[in-house]
Amino acid sequence: MSKAKKVIEEAKEINNPEIDLVDKGISSLDEIPGLFSLENITRLTLSHNKLQVVPAGLANLMNLEILNLTNNHIEELPVSLSSLPKLRILNVSLNRLYALPRGFGAFPVLEILDCTYNNLKETTLPGNFFMMESLRALYLGDNDFEYLPAEIGNLKNLQILSMRENDLIEVPRELGQLTRLRELHLQGNRLVVLPPEIGFLELASNKSVLRLEGNFWVPPIEDQLKLGPSHVLDYLRSETYRVLYSRHMSAKPPPPPQTLDKSKKASRMR
């Protein structure tokens, strides 16, 4: 731990607002005395360590704007994190999260949230998760979502949404309310149809990204996808498709089978 202590001591000496503790073998923040007293910190990077617990005291760092906890062994987060008044970027990807704490969506100015590669699903999100109206990018890829809650439509400022490599069997019409969306990643799921409303999103330009491969699309969508994402969007807006979608939703056929074996995911290791 001497390397970590040295970083903290040097930061105190020069009043450095950016603390880099990447790959220092840290298993507990209690082993780093003085960290929570550095109130001027704006960026804290603790990625590639062995942290299992994030202490509530982290919320003492009231000026924190960027917190990177990627690639640790974290199984739960403290509620106090969401009280950080200036936090704009939170990266908790590559951990072992099965749920997010109650009240987690209370972040006042959070713009980027990366929860990629955990074990989250729609039933383990807190009730206020979709109240983070400042959110511009939400990364939930490589988790266990079967459904995306309709409340996703509340995130009016969202520009990037990644739901790749989940178990999605349906996405809500409310996705069409995200008029600022410029990147939508739905590849590697169990989707068969898409709500027609998605056809009206601005995802066809050169600066936009729409990823749909690796699903179980009805043949007409699959055919259009071979021509390109813009052709899919055109088709979703057609009256022909509206009829097909309506019939499919009324028939409620069983969802496609799960194809990914997630039992060996690093996020499941104990």
Side-chain angles (χ1 to χ4, degrees), residues 122-142:
E122 60 275 8
T123 54
T124 60
L125 296 180
N128 68 344
F129 185 81
F130 295 102
M131 292 181 185
M132 295 182 279
E133 292 182 7
S134 54
L135 218 53
R136 292 188 296 110
L138 177 58
Y139 299 94
L140 293 172
D142 287 287

Side-chain angles (χ1 to χ4, degrees), residues 8-182:
I8 298 301
E9 285 165 10
E10 287 176 356
K12 280 181 179 175
E13 282 176 24
I14 63 171
N15 211 23
N16 185 1
E18 300 189 354
I19 307 293
D20 186 345
L21 293 168
V22 176
D23 198 14
K24 296 282 191 287
I26 303 167
S27 56
S28 170
L29 293 185
D30 295 335
E31 300 165 22
I32 314 175
L35 175 61
F36 296 154
S37 64
L38 297 176
E39 293 181 5
N40 68 312
I41 295 180
T42 58
R43 180 198 293 257
L44 176 58
T45 305
L46 287 158
S47 52
H48 307 284
N49 282 293
K50 298 171 184 175
L51 290 171
Q52 294 182 9
V53 176
V54 179
L58 203 57
N60 294 342
L61 306 177
M62 299 295 280
N63 288 300
L64 205 57
E65 296 177 21
I66 300 170
L67 176 58
N68 189 343
L69 295 165
T70 190
N71 197 9
N72 278 280
H73 303 159
I74 300 165
E75 295 188 9
E76 59 181 279
L77 296 170
V79 179
S80 60
L81 266 191
S82 57
S83 66
L84 286 165
K86 297 182 181 178
L87 196 67
R88 295 183 298 105
I89 300 172
L90 174 59
N91 189 340
V92 291
S93 62
L94 281 163
N95 276 288
R96 299 175 184 179
L97 296 168
Y98 279 85
L100 295 175
R102 191 174 177 182
F104 185 81
F107 291 97
V109 296
L110 196 67
E111 295 178 18
I112 299 172
L113 175 60
D114 192 342
C115 296
T116 305
Y117 208 89
N118 279 285
N119 307 302
L120 302 171
K121 51 188 173 183
E122 60 275 8
T123 54
T124 60
L125 296 180
N128 68 344
F129 185 81
F130 295 102
M131 292 181 185
M132 295 182 279
E133 292 182 7
S134 54
L135 218 53
R136 292 188 296 110
L138 177 58
Y139 299 94
L140 293 172
D142 287 287
N143 278 282
D144 299 326
F145 289 88
E146 288 195 351
Y147 294 91
L148 187 57
E151 289 82 3
I152 187 73
N154 296 337
L155 303 180
K156 303 297 185 192
N157 287 302
L158 208 60
Q159 296 170 26
I160 299 171
L161 175 61
S162 176
M163 298 296 302
R164 64 176 175 78
E165 310 296 341
N166 272 278
D167 287 315
L168 285 175
I169 56 181
E170 198 176 304
V171 292
R173 289 176 175 268
E174 286 77 8
L175 261 186
Q177 296 171 13
L178 304 179
T179 55
R180 296 188 176 182
L181 207 63
R182 295 297 177 267

Side-chain angles (χ1 to χ4, degrees), residues 193-196 218 221 235-236 238-246:
V193 293
L194 287 170
V218 289
I221 291 183
Y235 177 60
L236 295 183
S238 71
E239 187 57 36
T240 307
Y241 179 70
R242 284 181 180 276
V243 173
L244 183 154
Y245 179 77
S246 177

